[in-house]
Amino acid sequence: MSATAAIDALTSTGVPHRVVRHEPVRSLAEAAEAIGVAVPDVVKTIVVRRGEGDFVFVLVPGDRVISWPKLRGLLGVNRLSLPDAAEAKAVTGYERGTITPFGATTSWPVVADERILGRRISLGAGAHGVAMVLDADEAVRALAATVADITDPDRPR
């Protein structure tokens, strides 16, 4: 399997990373096991709509969820929403479950939860069954991400 736009984009930054290819997974816990990292280190990239044609990428540790009040306060807006799967693909070039800021069709701003700092994390790599493992601080630097407390613990379902 060849490289993805995400892998090519990350490689071009010079950030050291490892590409992990794995079988299909059905949960975040399965993904963590397949990639070889802890659940909090599987960082979800969530596309959030600030307004018409205006989006941000939000990097969320695997064991946490977006705190909408915190994120709205940080971004200085009263309303945020999630695009549907088709719109997310249209504005990023990636399907849900593969989204990453690296190599996206548009370089939307990135907000990273502060809890990823100092960790070795995995990010989507633009294709199902592929992840990129890298130093979170290097990722934040390469993406010029804003770092803040923007999540809450995920509650068991």
Side-chain angles (χ1 to χ4, degrees):
M1 183 186 280
S2 62
T4 65
I7 295 168
D8 291 344
L10 178 56
T11 300
S12 75
T13 68
V15 172
H17 62 280
R18 176 173 54 95
V19 175
V20 178
R21 298 181 191 283
H22 57 84
E23 295 300 317
V25 296
R26 295 183 305 272
S27 69
L28 201 88
E30 282 185 20
E33 184 176 340
I35 298 164
V37 299
V39 168
D41 298 331
V42 177
V43 173
K44 303 171 281 190
T45 301
I46 301 172
V47 181
V48 175
R49 183 188 308 105
R50 284 193 287 198
E52 184 67 33
D54 183 19
F55 299 86
V56 295
F57 289 111
V58 181
L59 303 181
V60 179
D63 62 341
R64 300 188 66 85
V65 296
I66 292 174
S67 167
W68 295 104
K70 291 177 186 177
L71 187 58
R72 284 192 305 268
L74 176 72
L75 297 174
V77 297
N78 292 326
R79 187 173 187 278
L80 294 168
S81 61
L82 295 173
D84 66 22
E87 185 177 20
K89 183 172 183 184
V91 302
T92 67
Y94 298 124
E95 292 180 16
R96 280 196 182 154
T98 72
I99 295 173
T100 176
F102 290 103
T105 53
T106 303
S107 295
W108 302 109
V110 178
V111 177
D113 186 72
E114 65 189 13
R115 289 159 192 83
I116 73 169
L117 294 179
R119 304 182 71 101
R120 190 123 181 103
I121 62 167
S122 74
L123 289 172
H128 293 287
V130 186
M132 303 180 297
V133 179
L134 67 157
D135 179 84
D137 295 21
E138 290 289 325
V140 164
R141 181 192 53 74
L143 295 165
T146 299
V147 178
D149 173 13
I150 48 121
T151 65
D152 290 324
D154 194 2
R155 294 188 202 112
R157 299 184 211 303

